[in-house]
Amino acid sequence: MGLKSKQGAGSLLPAGERERQSLSHAPRIYLLGAQGYKVQSTMNETISAIERLIARDPARRGIARLVQWGALERAAKALLGARAVGIVSGFYLPVPRVGETDGPPGAKAIGVALEALGSTAFYVTDEINAPLFRAMGLRRVELYRPGLLDALALSHLVSTERPGRAQDGRYYTMAARDITEYTAPIDDLFLLARERGLPTVAIGDGGNEIGMGKVIDRVRADVKNGAVIGCVVDCDHLVVAGVSNWGALGLVGALSVLTGKALLPSAAESEQDLRDIVAAGSCDGHTFRNEATVDGQPLADNLALLEEIRAIVMGGAGGAAPPASRPH
């Protein structure tokens, strides 16, 4: 059973409105009894299908060995009811000296989804990457500074494609280039949050991002340069994906499944966000070119994956349904 609309008050709406609101009438995770178990099982299977999809490994980094199966659902559940969420992203590229295209678009997708669920989203980054967030039209873009966790009264933290410190306290690219000089220590927020017991979610695709401390032994053993670049900063829930933007979209898809709301961006919105940050100077982290690609993956492939996630959300783990964008 996928996310289908139920009969009831919604059936009195005009046909077009019923279709637009179909997700809003989906069964909820809090149903009890035998029917509730069926709903829960279907949700688990659907989110697992999304998790398998985003674990594709286009760069052939061997990220499957880092995946924490089931973490996507746990991460989404941890964010339900969040009051104020700090969403951290932005990865400096030393060759073109700009931020990369992987990270900020996914951060926006998560933030917009959480705000649709009633949370307040703050986008935490540094001076180099802040223009990318502003280019996407985001408000509440915060430059990291000590004391920010308290200043914003954050209840949850999410990181996607943000470098985290290695064992030596420095920050590295996948090629083991030292970028400490250009990387604000935003991972301090995660260290402090974990001391205080605040929920933390992290998304990464290579081993050098915030949160990879959860699998640091695997990073050191299985990732090229892992012994040098491996991030030691842990998190509660680690989502590993082939591309971090994919992991962010997968998290939004999981939130859609759990809440019955259409939270994913449309293909047009996703494309525009990518083009906007490229216009602001962002470059692909693999090709180092100022073009609308992410980790070497063409725009069309990234949009196709978004629609695959949407199809799983709309049709359940076993089938697809026509795409539908989030409400405005």
Side-chain angles (χ1 to χ4, degrees):
M1 179 178 69
L3 289 179
K4 310 290 186 179
S5 62
K6 291 202 267 189
Q7 296 298 315
S11 64
L12 300 178
L13 294 170
E17 185 69 5
R18 286 202 306 272
E19 181 179 355
R20 189 183 73 81
Q21 296 187 5
S22 61
L23 279 176
S24 68
H25 300 294
R28 296 295 196 272
I29 195 169
Y30 52 72
L31 289 178
L32 302 176
Q35 180 64 22
Y37 287 121
K38 290 180 182 178
V39 170
Q40 180 67 68
S41 176
T42 300
M43 288 180 171
N44 292 345
E45 293 169 3
T46 302
I47 295 174
S48 292
I50 296 173
E51 192 167 38
R52 291 192 297 272
L53 175 63
I54 63 175
R56 292 175 181 173
D57 190 3
R60 299 181 180 179
R61 295 172 175 166
I63 59 102
R65 293 186 289 274
L66 307 182
V67 174
Q68 304 287 285
W69 298 108
L72 182 62
E73 181 174 351
R74 294 191 294 271
K77 287 179 176 178
L79 293 172
L80 294 177
R83 177 181 48 78
V85 185
I87 304 175
V88 173
S89 192
F91 205 116
Y92 174 76
L93 299 176
V95 176
R97 296 181 178 272
V98 295
E100 71 163 297
T101 54
D102 195 17
K108 178 181 177 179
I110 295 169
V112 171
L114 290 174
E115 295 219 323
L117 297 176
S119 303
T120 299
F122 296 91
Y123 301 92
V124 183
T125 189
D126 51 34
E127 291 186 5
I128 293 171
N129 288 280
L132 308 184
F133 288 84
R134 297 191 180 109
M136 294 186 292
L138 293 172
R139 298 178 296 117
R140 290 191 290 272
V141 178
E142 298 281 343
L143 297 181
Y144 170 74
R145 58 189 184 276
L148 193 61
L149 195 69
D150 291 325
L152 300 179
L154 298 176
S155 63
H156 294 66
L157 284 177
V158 177
S159 175
T160 180
E161 193 62 16
R162 177 69 193 183
R165 69 195 64 184
Q167 184 65 47
D168 62 2
R170 306 189 71 78
Y171 302 88
Y172 296 93
T173 69
M174 288 294 295
R177 293 193 62 171
D178 191 327
I179 55 172
T180 306
E181 180 181 355
Y182 306 97
T183 304
I186 302 180
D187 49 356
D188 277 346
L189 293 176
F190 281 74
L191 297 176
L192 182 56
R194 287 183 61 75
E195 286 179 7
R196 297 183 179 182
L198 300 180
T200 55
V201 172
I203 301 169
D205 60 19
N208 57 344
E209 302 93 353
I210 291 174
M212 287 292 180
K214 196 164 204 66
V215 290
I216 186 59
D217 289 342
R218 296 185 196 178
V219 171
R220 289 169 176 162
D222 297 327
V223 174
K224 183 179 179 181
N225 299 319
V228 175
I229 71 171
C231 172
V232 297
V233 179
D234 201 349
C235 65
D236 293 320
H237 309 288
L238 174 64
V239 176
V240 179
V243 176
S244 290
N245 280 349
W246 296 1
L249 291 172
L251 181 59
V252 175
L255 287 167
S256 297
V257 173
L258 293 175
T259 64
K261 295 181 181 292
L263 300 172
L264 286 163
S266 69
E269 290 168 331
S270 187
E271 177 176 352
Q272 190 60 55
D273 287 340
L274 184 56
R275 293 195 183 280
D276 284 344
I277 66 171
V278 169
S282 184
C283 290
D284 185 298
H286 280 206
T287 68
F288 307 119
R289 295 173 183 164
N290 178 229
E291 58 188 8
T293 59
V294 182
D295 281 358
Q297 303 306 302
L299 173 62
D301 289 0
N302 287 288
L303 297 180
L305 183 126
L306 167 62
E307 296 307 327
E308 287 185 74
I309 294 174
R310 194 187 325 278
I312 293 172
V313 171
M314 295 295 293
S325 64
R326 60 189 169 193
H328 299 280

